[in-house]
PDB file of all heavy atoms in Angstrom:
ATOM      1  N   ASN A 342      71.322 107.898  83.062  1.00 95.00           N
ATOM      2  CA  ASN A 342      72.487 108.046  83.931  1.00 95.00           C
ATOM      3  C   ASN A 342      73.149 106.674  84.173  1.00 95.00           C
ATOM      4  O   ASN A 342      72.504 105.774  84.709  1.00 95.00           O
ATOM      5  CB  ASN A 342      71.977 108.625  85.258  1.00 95.00           C
ATOM      6  CG  ASN A 342      73.089 109.017  86.191  1.00 95.00           C
ATOM      7  OD1 ASN A 342      74.243 108.645  85.986  1.00 95.00           O
ATOM      8  ND2 ASN A 342      72.745 109.768  87.215  1.00 95.00           N
ATOM      9  N   PRO A 343      74.411 106.522  83.810  1.00 97.00           N
ATOM     10  CA  PRO A 343      75.071 105.233  84.065  1.00 97.00           C
ATOM     11  C   PRO A 343      75.665 105.143  85.477  1.00 97.00           C
ATOM     12  O   PRO A 343      76.329 104.161  85.816  1.00 97.00           O
ATOM     13  CB  PRO A 343      76.195 105.217  83.016  1.00 97.00           C
ATOM     14  CG  PRO A 343      76.545 106.663  82.844  1.00 97.00           C
ATOM     15  CD  PRO A 343      75.286 107.464  83.079  1.00 97.00           C
ATOM     16  N   GLY A 344      75.412 106.159  86.327  1.00 95.00           N
ATOM     17  CA  GLY A 344      76.084 106.262  87.635  1.00 95.00           C
ATOM     18  C   GLY A 344      75.899 105.047  88.523  1.00 95.00           C
ATOM     19  O   GLY A 344      76.844 104.607  89.192  1.00 95.00           O
ATOM     20  N   SER A 345      74.680 104.493  88.534  1.00 95.00           N
ATOM     21  CA  SER A 345      74.426 103.357  89.418  1.00 95.00           C
ATOM     22  C   SER A 345      75.304 102.167  89.044  1.00 95.00           C
ATOM     23  O   SER A 345      75.933 101.542  89.903  1.00 95.00           O
ATOM     24  CB  SER A 345      72.946 102.978  89.338  1.00 95.00           C
ATOM     25  OG  SER A 345      72.694 101.776  89.995  1.00 95.00           O
ATOM     26  N   LEU A 346      75.380 101.876  87.753  1.00 97.00           N
ATOM     27  CA  LEU A 346      76.181 100.711  87.336  1.00 97.00           C
ATOM     28  C   LEU A 346      77.679 101.006  87.475  1.00 97.00           C
ATOM     29  O   LEU A 346      78.460 100.124  87.853  1.00 97.00           O
ATOM     30  CB  LEU A 346      75.832 100.320  85.893  1.00 97.00           C
ATOM     31  CG  LEU A 346      76.300  98.935  85.451  1.00 97.00           C
ATOM     32  CD1 LEU A 346      75.785  97.829  86.364  1.00 97.00           C
ATOM     33  CD2 LEU A 346      75.866  98.642  84.016  1.00 97.00           C
ATOM     34  N   ILE A 347      78.081 102.256  87.216  1.00 98.00           N
ATOM     35  CA  ILE A 347      79.498 102.608  87.372  1.00 98.00           C
ATOM     36  C   ILE A 347      79.914 102.465  88.846  1.00 98.00           C
ATOM     37  O   ILE A 347      80.959 101.897  89.159  1.00 98.00           O
ATOM     38  CB  ILE A 347      79.763 104.042  86.850  1.00 98.00           C
ATOM     39  CG1 ILE A 347      79.645 104.044  85.325  1.00 98.00           C
ATOM     40  CG2 ILE A 347      81.126 104.549  87.302  1.00 98.00           C
ATOM     41  CD1 ILE A 347      79.728 105.420  84.678  1.00 98.00           C
ATOM     42  N   LEU A 348      79.073 102.958  89.750  1.00 97.00           N
ATOM     43  CA  LEU A 348      79.408 102.827  91.179  1.00 97.00           C
ATOM     44  C   LEU A 348      79.360 101.358  91.627  1.00 97.00           C
ATOM     45  O   LEU A 348      80.111 100.946  92.516  1.00 97.00           O
ATOM     46  CB  LEU A 348      78.481 103.690  92.028  1.00 97.00           C
ATOM     47  CG  LEU A 348      78.720 105.206  91.885  1.00 97.00           C
ATOM     48  CD1 LEU A 348      77.604 105.986  92.576  1.00 97.00           C
ATOM     49  CD2 LEU A 348      80.080 105.616  92.439  1.00 97.00           C
ATOM     50  N   SER A 349      78.490 100.557  90.994  1.00 98.00           N
ATOM     51  CA  SER A 349      78.503  99.121  91.280  1.00 98.00           C
ATOM     52  C   SER A 349      79.820  98.516  90.788  1.00 98.00           C
ATOM     53  O   SER A 349      80.378  97.606  91.418  1.00 98.00           O
ATOM     54  CB  SER A 349      77.335  98.409  90.588  1.00 98.00           C
ATOM     55  OG  SER A 349      76.117  98.982  91.006  1.00 98.00           O
ATOM     56  N   GLY A 350      80.314  99.036  89.662  1.00 98.00           N
ATOM     57  CA  GLY A 350      81.620  98.603  89.157  1.00 98.00           C
ATOM     58  C   GLY A 350      82.727  98.941  90.147  1.00 98.00           C
ATOM     59  O   GLY A 350      83.668  98.158  90.349  1.00 98.00           O
ATOM     60  N   ALA A 351      82.604 100.100  90.800  1.00 98.00           N
ATOM     61  CA  ALA A 351      83.612 100.463  91.817  1.00 98.00           C
ATOM     62  C   ALA A 351      83.542  99.496  92.996  1.00 98.00           C
ATOM     63  O   ALA A 351      84.579  99.087  93.554  1.00 98.00           O
ATOM     64  CB  ALA A 351      83.388 101.903  92.283  1.00 98.00           C
ATOM     65  N   MET A 352      82.318  99.104  93.378  1.00 97.00           N
ATOM     66  CA  MET A 352      82.189  98.087  94.444  1.00 97.00           C
ATOM     67  C   MET A 352      82.850  96.777  94.010  1.00 97.00           C
ATOM     68  O   MET A 352      83.472  96.081  94.808  1.00 97.00           O
ATOM     69  CB  MET A 352      80.714  97.787  94.743  1.00 97.00           C
ATOM     70  CG  MET A 352      79.973  98.856  95.484  1.00 97.00           C
ATOM     71  SD  MET A 352      78.242  98.357  95.728  1.00 97.00           S
ATOM     72  CE  MET A 352      78.358  97.246  97.128  1.00 97.00           C
ATOM     73  N   MET A 353      82.688  96.438  92.745  1.00 98.00           N
ATOM     74  CA  MET A 353      83.291  95.202  92.239  1.00 98.00           C
ATOM     75  C   MET A 353      84.819  95.280  92.320  1.00 98.00           C
ATOM     76  O   MET A 353      85.488  94.327  92.752  1.00 98.00           O
ATOM     77  CB  MET A 353      82.844  94.965  90.790  1.00 98.00           C
ATOM     78  CG  MET A 353      83.332  93.667  90.213  1.00 98.00           C
ATOM     79  SD  MET A 353      82.853  93.511  88.480  1.00 98.00           S
ATOM     80  CE  MET A 353      84.206  94.390  87.707  1.00 98.00           C
ATOM     81  N   LEU A 354      85.370  96.426  91.948  1.00 98.00           N
ATOM     82  CA  LEU A 354      86.826  96.582  92.029  1.00 98.00           C
ATOM     83  C   LEU A 354      87.290  96.502  93.489  1.00 98.00           C
ATOM     84  O   LEU A 354      88.324  95.901  93.793  1.00 98.00           O
ATOM     85  CB  LEU A 354      87.249  97.907  91.391  1.00 98.00           C
ATOM     86  CG  LEU A 354      87.021  98.009  89.868  1.00 98.00           C
ATOM     87  CD1 LEU A 354      87.248  99.444  89.396  1.00 98.00           C
ATOM     88  CD2 LEU A 354      87.928  97.056  89.096  1.00 98.00           C
ATOM     89  N   ASP A 355      86.508  97.092  94.413  1.00 96.00           N
ATOM     90  CA  ASP A 355      86.825  96.956  95.850  1.00 96.00           C
ATOM     91  C   ASP A 355      86.864  95.481  96.241  1.00 96.00           C
ATOM     92  O   ASP A 355      87.786  95.023  96.909  1.00 96.00           O
ATOM     93  CB  ASP A 355      85.722  97.595  96.720  1.00 96.00           C
ATOM     94  CG  ASP A 355      85.825  99.102  96.803  1.00 96.00           C
ATOM     95  OD1 ASP A 355      86.917  99.647  96.556  1.00 96.00           O
ATOM     96  OD2 ASP A 355      84.797  99.724  97.125  1.00 96.00           O
ATOM     97  N   TYR A 356      85.825  94.762  95.842  1.00 95.00           N
ATOM     98  CA  TYR A 356      85.705  93.342  96.200  1.00 95.00           C
ATOM     99  C   TYR A 356      86.902  92.558  95.655  1.00 95.00           C
ATOM    100  O   TYR A 356      87.413  91.646  96.298  1.00 95.00           O
ATOM    101  CB  TYR A 356      84.394  92.796  95.629  1.00 95.00           C
ATOM    102  CG  TYR A 356      84.124  91.348  95.915  1.00 95.00           C
ATOM    103  CD1 TYR A 356      83.577  90.951  97.135  1.00 95.00           C
ATOM    104  CD2 TYR A 356      84.400  90.361  94.964  1.00 95.00           C
ATOM    105  CE1 TYR A 356      83.320  89.613  97.394  1.00 95.00           C
ATOM    106  CE2 TYR A 356      84.149  89.031  95.220  1.00 95.00           C
ATOM    107  CZ  TYR A 356      83.608  88.654  96.439  1.00 95.00           C
ATOM    108  OH  TYR A 356      83.370  87.331  96.691  1.00 95.00           O
ATOM    109  N   MET A 357      87.366  92.941  94.453  1.00 97.00           N
ATOM    110  CA  MET A 357      88.512  92.258  93.840  1.00 97.00           C
ATOM    111  C   MET A 357      89.832  92.693  94.478  1.00 97.00           C
ATOM    112  O   MET A 357      90.889  92.162  94.145  1.00 97.00           O
ATOM    113  CB  MET A 357      88.550  92.574  92.337  1.00 97.00           C
ATOM    114  CG  MET A 357      87.446  91.911  91.549  1.00 97.00           C
ATOM    115  SD  MET A 357      87.181  92.654  89.892  1.00 97.00           S
ATOM    116  CE  MET A 357      88.808  92.566  89.160  1.00 97.00           C
ATOM    117  N   GLY A 358      89.779  93.680  95.346  1.00 96.00           N
ATOM    118  CA  GLY A 358      91.010  94.194  95.967  1.00 96.00           C
ATOM    119  C   GLY A 358      91.734  95.194  95.086  1.00 96.00           C
ATOM    120  O   GLY A 358      92.857  95.587  95.388  1.00 96.00           O
ATOM    121  N   TRP A 359      91.119  95.643  94.007  1.00 98.00           N
ATOM    122  CA  TRP A 359      91.744  96.642  93.117  1.00 98.00           C
ATOM    123  C   TRP A 359      91.311  98.036  93.598  1.00 98.00           C
ATOM    124  O   TRP A 359      90.606  98.782  92.924  1.00 98.00           O
ATOM    125  CB  TRP A 359      91.328  96.399  91.662  1.00 98.00           C
ATOM    126  CG  TRP A 359      91.913  95.123  91.091  1.00 98.00           C
ATOM    127  CD1 TRP A 359      92.484  94.087  91.775  1.00 98.00           C
ATOM    128  CD2 TRP A 359      91.978  94.753  89.711  1.00 98.00           C
ATOM    129  NE1 TRP A 359      92.883  93.096  90.912  1.00 98.00           N
ATOM    130  CE2 TRP A 359      92.587  93.470  89.629  1.00 98.00           C
ATOM    131  CE3 TRP A 359      91.571  95.365  88.516  1.00 98.00           C
ATOM    132  CZ2 TRP A 359      92.806  92.813  88.412  1.00 98.00           C
ATOM    133  CZ3 TRP A 359      91.789  94.704  87.305  1.00 98.00           C
ATOM    134  CH2 TRP A 359      92.409  93.448  87.260  1.00 98.00           C
ATOM    135  N   LEU A 360      91.774  98.369  94.786  1.00 97.00           N
ATOM    136  CA  LEU A 360      91.252  99.553  95.471  1.00 97.00           C
ATOM    137  C   LEU A 360      91.641 100.859  94.771  1.00 97.00           C
ATOM    138  O   LEU A 360      90.875 101.820  94.764  1.00 97.00           O
ATOM    139  CB  LEU A 360      91.751  99.581  96.916  1.00 97.00           C
ATOM    140  CG  LEU A 360      91.447  98.320  97.751  1.00 97.00           C
ATOM    141  CD1 LEU A 360      91.938  98.495  99.178  1.00 97.00           C
ATOM    142  CD2 LEU A 360      89.957  97.996  97.741  1.00 97.00           C
ATOM    143  N   GLU A 361      92.859 100.864  94.192  1.00 98.00           N
ATOM    144  CA  GLU A 361      93.309 102.098  93.526  1.00 98.00           C
ATOM    145  C   GLU A 361      92.400 102.420  92.345  1.00 98.00           C
ATOM    146  O   GLU A 361      92.013 103.575  92.122  1.00 98.00           O
ATOM    147  CB  GLU A 361      94.758 101.939  93.037  1.00 98.00           C
ATOM    148  CG  GLU A 361      95.770 101.653  94.141  1.00 98.00           C
ATOM    149  CD  GLU A 361      95.816 100.180  94.580  1.00 98.00           C
ATOM    150  OE1 GLU A 361      95.090  99.352  93.990  1.00 98.00           O
ATOM    151  OE2 GLU A 361      96.561  99.879  95.526  1.00 98.00           O
ATOM    152  N   ALA A 362      92.051 101.378  91.580  1.00 98.00           N
ATOM    153  CA  ALA A 362      91.170 101.595  90.424  1.00 98.00           C
ATOM    154  C   ALA A 362      89.771 102.016  90.895  1.00 98.00           C
ATOM    155  O   ALA A 362      89.133 102.885  90.293  1.00 98.00           O
ATOM    156  CB  ALA A 362      91.087 100.324  89.582  1.00 98.00           C
ATOM    157  N   ALA A 363      89.309 101.412  91.991  1.00 98.00           N
ATOM    158  CA  ALA A 363      87.991 101.776  92.518  1.00 98.00           C
ATOM    159  C   ALA A 363      87.973 103.254  92.913  1.00 98.00           C
ATOM    160  O   ALA A 363      87.012 103.982  92.620  1.00 98.00           O
ATOM    161  CB  ALA A 363      87.643 100.893  93.720  1.00 98.00           C
ATOM    162  N   ASP A 364      89.053 103.699  93.566  1.00 98.00           N
ATOM    163  CA  ASP A 364      89.116 105.112  93.987  1.00 98.00           C
ATOM    164  C   ASP A 364      89.104 106.047  92.785  1.00 98.00           C
ATOM    165  O   ASP A 364      88.413 107.070  92.784  1.00 98.00           O
ATOM    166  CB  ASP A 364      90.409 105.371  94.786  1.00 98.00           C
ATOM    167  CG  ASP A 364      90.244 104.906  96.220  1.00 98.00           C
ATOM    168  OD1 ASP A 364      89.112 104.563  96.602  1.00 98.00           O
ATOM    169  OD2 ASP A 364      91.262 104.873  96.944  1.00 98.00           O
ATOM    170  N   ILE A 365      89.876 105.682  91.766  1.00 98.00           N
ATOM    171  CA  ILE A 365      89.941 106.544  90.567  1.00 98.00           C
ATOM    172  C   ILE A 365      88.550 106.624  89.922  1.00 98.00           C
ATOM    173  O   ILE A 365      88.092 107.689  89.512  1.00 98.00           O
ATOM    174  CB  ILE A 365      91.001 106.001  89.576  1.00 98.00           C
ATOM    175  CG1 ILE A 365      92.406 106.250  90.151  1.00 98.00           C
ATOM    176  CG2 ILE A 365      90.849 106.641  88.194  1.00 98.00           C
ATOM    177  CD1 ILE A 365      93.527 105.585  89.375  1.00 98.00           C
ATOM    178  N   LEU A 366      87.883 105.477  89.863  1.00 98.00           N
ATOM    179  CA  LEU A 366      86.552 105.446  89.248  1.00 98.00           C
ATOM    180  C   LEU A 366      85.584 106.350  90.020  1.00 98.00           C
ATOM    181  O   LEU A 366      84.892 107.203  89.445  1.00 98.00           O
ATOM    182  CB  LEU A 366      86.059 103.991  89.226  1.00 98.00           C
ATOM    183  CG  LEU A 366      84.823 103.675  88.400  1.00 98.00           C
ATOM    184  CD1 LEU A 366      85.033 104.034  86.933  1.00 98.00           C
ATOM    185  CD2 LEU A 366      84.463 102.185  88.507  1.00 98.00           C
ATOM    186  N   ARG A 367      85.558 106.179  91.342  1.00 97.00           N
ATOM    187  CA  ARG A 367      84.629 106.990  92.160  1.00 97.00           C
ATOM    188  C   ARG A 367      84.980 108.476  92.079  1.00 97.00           C
ATOM    189  O   ARG A 367      84.105 109.317  91.915  1.00 97.00           O
ATOM    190  CB  ARG A 367      84.691 106.561  93.633  1.00 97.00           C
ATOM    191  CG  ARG A 367      83.839 105.379  93.944  1.00 97.00           C
ATOM    192  CD  ARG A 367      83.675 105.184  95.440  1.00 97.00           C
ATOM    193  NE  ARG A 367      83.193 103.843  95.658  1.00 97.00           N
ATOM    194  CZ  ARG A 367      83.954 102.784  95.913  1.00 97.00           C
ATOM    195  NH1 ARG A 367      85.258 102.918  96.069  1.00 97.00           N
ATOM    196  NH2 ARG A 367      83.432 101.592  96.055  1.00 97.00           N
ATOM    197  N   ASN A 368      86.288 108.763  92.214  1.00 97.00           N
ATOM    198  CA  ASN A 368      86.693 110.175  92.228  1.00 97.00           C
ATOM    199  C   ASN A 368      86.335 110.852  90.918  1.00 97.00           C
ATOM    200  O   ASN A 368      85.881 111.998  90.908  1.00 97.00           O
ATOM    201  CB  ASN A 368      88.201 110.316  92.459  1.00 97.00           C
ATOM    202  CG  ASN A 368      88.548 110.008  93.890  1.00 97.00           C
ATOM    203  OD1 ASN A 368      87.664 110.009  94.756  1.00 97.00           O
ATOM    204  ND2 ASN A 368      89.808 109.696  94.156  1.00 97.00           N
ATOM    205  N   SER A 369      86.543 110.150  89.812  1.00 98.00           N
ATOM    206  CA  SER A 369      86.270 110.796  88.520  1.00 98.00           C
ATOM    207  C   SER A 369      84.773 111.060  88.372  1.00 98.00           C
ATOM    208  O   SER A 369      84.368 112.055  87.773  1.00 98.00           O
ATOM    209  CB  SER A 369      86.808 109.959  87.358  1.00 98.00           C
ATOM    210  OG  SER A 369      86.125 108.733  87.284  1.00 98.00           O
ATOM    211  N   LEU A 370      83.948 110.194  88.944  1.00 97.00           N
ATOM    212  CA  LEU A 370      82.502 110.433  88.891  1.00 97.00           C
ATOM    213  C   LEU A 370      82.137 111.660  89.732  1.00 97.00           C
ATOM    214  O   LEU A 370      81.377 112.535  89.294  1.00 97.00           O
ATOM    215  CB  LEU A 370      81.757 109.186  89.379  1.00 97.00           C
ATOM    216  CG  LEU A 370      80.240 109.291  89.341  1.00 97.00           C
ATOM    217  CD1 LEU A 370      79.628 108.070  88.642  1.00 97.00           C
ATOM    218  CD2 LEU A 370      79.656 109.378  90.739  1.00 97.00           C
ATOM    219  N   VAL A 371      82.728 111.739  90.917  1.00 95.00           N
ATOM    220  CA  VAL A 371      82.443 112.879  91.801  1.00 95.00           C
ATOM    221  C   VAL A 371      82.888 114.184  91.131  1.00 95.00           C
ATOM    222  O   VAL A 371      82.147 115.180  91.115  1.00 95.00           O
ATOM    223  CB  VAL A 371      83.156 112.680  93.163  1.00 95.00           C
ATOM    224  CG1 VAL A 371      83.086 113.940  94.011  1.00 95.00           C
ATOM    225  CG2 VAL A 371      82.566 111.490  93.905  1.00 95.00           C
ATOM    226  N   VAL A 372      84.093 114.167  90.536  1.00 97.00           N
ATOM    227  CA  VAL A 372      84.605 115.388  89.901  1.00 97.00           C
ATOM    228  C   VAL A 372      83.721 115.786  88.715  1.00 97.00           C
ATOM    229  O   VAL A 372      83.364 116.947  88.543  1.00 97.00           O
ATOM    230  CB  VAL A 372      86.077 115.182  89.437  1.00 97.00           C
ATOM    231  CG1 VAL A 372      86.550 116.340  88.583  1.00 97.00           C
ATOM    232  CG2 VAL A 372      86.988 114.987  90.642  1.00 97.00           C
ATOM    233  N   THR A 373      83.314 114.787  87.927  1.00 97.00           N
ATOM    234  CA  THR A 373      82.492 115.087  86.741  1.00 97.00           C
ATOM    235  C   THR A 373      81.160 115.719  87.163  1.00 97.00           C
ATOM    236  O   THR A 373      80.691 116.694  86.566  1.00 97.00           O
ATOM    237  CB  THR A 373      82.257 113.800  85.916  1.00 97.00           C
ATOM    238  OG1 THR A 373      83.533 113.219  85.645  1.00 97.00           O
ATOM    239  CG2 THR A 373      81.540 114.092  84.610  1.00 97.00           C
TER     240      THR A 373
END
Side-chain angles (χ1 to χ4, degrees):
N342 188 346
S345 171
L346 195 56
I347 289 174
L348 290 170
S349 302
M352 287 179 80
M353 184 184 85
L354 294 170
D355 281 339
Y356 180 82
M357 289 163 55
W359 291 15
L360 305 182
E361 300 81 3
D364 280 351
I365 289 171
L366 191 59
R367 277 193 197 94
N368 287 343
S369 65
L370 181 130
V371 170
V372 171
T373 307

